[in-house]
Amino acid sequence: ILFNEIDSALSSLKNSQSHINSGMDIATKTALDLVESFNDEEDVNSMEKVMLEYATMDRELNHFITAFEETIDQVKQENPENIPDLEKLVEEKFAALESKNSDSDFQRNEKYMYFVDQLKEMKKQFRRVSDNGNETIEQIDEDIAVTRSQMNFICPITQMEMKRPVRNKVCGHTYEEEAILEIIQSRKQKKKKVRCPKMGCSHVDVKGSDLVPDEALKRLIDSQNKQ
């Protein structure tokens, strides 16, 4: 019964983790909206702080989950006659994990790193200019936008403008989502690897798990098409 209670607690912790992930998705979208709608830099910075708080909560929650799981494994392996103080064991393991915290931990949080990457890409599309001493945010010069569109909007597979661009986390190249997934699936059936379709790229093992939506690029494409 005791272990069943612990399993239930673990399930609750993992459920909380899904809520954190949802919050991070919303925070990412909100931050990109703020940049795109020329909001004050302070508003954007506040969303960065929110994401950092989410990432911190996620790390803490992961440590709790790890501490619980290690405690269960330890007790099951040792199989003592008297069940030890499980709460104390969990607290000790949790404290040990927390003592090793560092800022580099956040580089292993995929949603946080995705936020950082997408926000950086969005900010590239806008620049800060001085207007009578007051800073405002202005969209990039149209000629620059056109040049970027010629370089980045075309899928290397379909040779058409992308509608749902996804970026390869390994090599950084973007493709039309449906096109690259079709290639991956086709090659998988033949038990073969997929080389990155971008000319000159040396990456020879493109996987579906390496692909993330490039929301910043999609917004730029949509913005250019509206002009």
Side-chain angles (χ1 to χ4, degrees), residues 10 17 29-30 34 43 90-91 98 103 107 121 127 130 138 142 151 162 179 185 198 200 206 210 217:
L10 271 174
Q17 200 166 35
K29 182 181 183 302
T30 301
L34 289 171
D43 293 332
V90 170
E91 289 177 352
E98 286 283 290
D103 291 343
Q107 295 178 7
E121 289 300 313
R127 61 186 175 89
S130 178
E138 184 178 272
E142 185 176 350
M151 293 172 57
M162 291 179 280
Q185 183 60 31
K198 185 72 173 180
V206 179
D210 293 330
L217 180 57

Side-chain angles (χ1 to χ4, degrees), residues 1-226:
I1 296 175
L2 186 60
F3 284 118
N4 287 338
E5 291 177 352
I6 293 177
D7 287 338
S8 177
L10 271 174
S11 179
S12 296
L13 286 174
K14 291 177 180 178
N15 187 51
S16 298
Q17 200 166 35
S18 69
H19 292 308
I20 290 176
N21 288 335
S22 296
M24 294 179 89
D25 289 339
I26 293 171
T28 298
K29 182 181 183 302
T30 301
L32 298 184
D33 287 342
L34 289 171
V35 176
E36 190 174 23
S37 57
F38 308 105
N39 272 265
D40 190 273
E41 185 75 9
E42 186 175 336
D43 293 332
V44 179
N45 290 339
S46 69
M47 294 313 302
E48 292 187 59
K49 291 178 182 177
V50 168
M51 280 298 290
L52 189 58
E53 289 175 2
Y54 270 127
T56 301
M57 284 191 291
D58 185 65
R59 178 178 63 186
E60 183 175 315
L61 193 56
N62 279 325
H63 285 169
F64 263 123
I65 292 173
T66 299
F68 266 108
E69 292 176 336
E70 287 183 353
T71 297
I72 293 173
D73 289 341
Q74 178 181 330
V75 173
K76 285 183 177 179
Q77 288 176 11
E78 295 177 355
N79 195 24
E81 292 184 7
N82 297 315
I83 299 296
D85 187 336
L86 297 181
E87 184 177 349
K88 183 179 179 181
L89 278 176
V90 170
E91 289 177 352
E92 290 174 351
K93 292 181 183 297
F94 174 75
L97 291 168
E98 286 283 290
S99 68
K100 298 176 182 178
N101 286 348
S102 71
D103 291 343
S104 62
D105 296 338
F106 301 127
Q107 295 178 7
R108 294 192 292 273
N109 187 307
E110 288 196 7
K111 286 191 177 292
Y112 179 75
M113 294 309 296
Y114 176 74
F115 168 85
V116 171
D117 172 71
Q118 290 293 289
L119 189 60
K120 178 181 177 182
E121 289 300 313
M122 278 295 289
K123 286 183 175 180
K124 283 182 181 178
Q125 317 311 329
F126 301 86
R127 61 186 175 89
R128 300 189 70 83
V129 295
S130 178
D131 181 17
N132 296 325
N134 297 318
E135 282 194 330
T136 59
I137 302 177
E138 184 178 272
Q139 196 163 10
I140 59 173
D141 183 84
E142 185 176 350
D143 291 337
I144 298 176
V146 172
T147 300
R148 286 184 177 173
S149 71
Q150 292 172 341
M151 293 172 57
N152 301 326
F153 290 6
I154 304 301
C155 171
I157 303 169
T158 65
Q159 294 303 309
M160 297 174 64
E161 184 178 270
M162 291 179 280
K163 296 180 179 180
R164 292 176 60 88
V166 291
R167 183 187 300 179
N168 190 322
K169 293 185 294 184
V170 178
C171 62
H173 294 127
T174 53
Y175 333 98
E176 179 64 50
E177 182 179 36
E178 185 177 352
I180 187 63
L181 290 179
E182 282 183 1
I183 292 177
I184 291 174
Q185 183 60 31
S186 175
R187 300 289 285 180
K188 183 179 181 180
Q189 291 175 350
K190 298 176 182 178
K191 297 183 178 180
K192 293 183 178 181
K193 294 181 179 180
V194 178
R195 174 182 285 275
C196 175
K198 185 72 173 180
M199 186 177 294
C201 182
S202 59
H203 184 45
V204 296
D205 190 14
V206 179
K207 300 175 182 176
S209 58
D210 293 330
L211 305 176
V212 293
D214 196 330
E215 179 65 22
L217 180 57
K218 183 180 185 303
R219 286 170 183 248
L220 180 58
I221 293 173
D222 291 343
S223 175
Q224 290 300 306
N225 287 336
K226 289 177 182 178

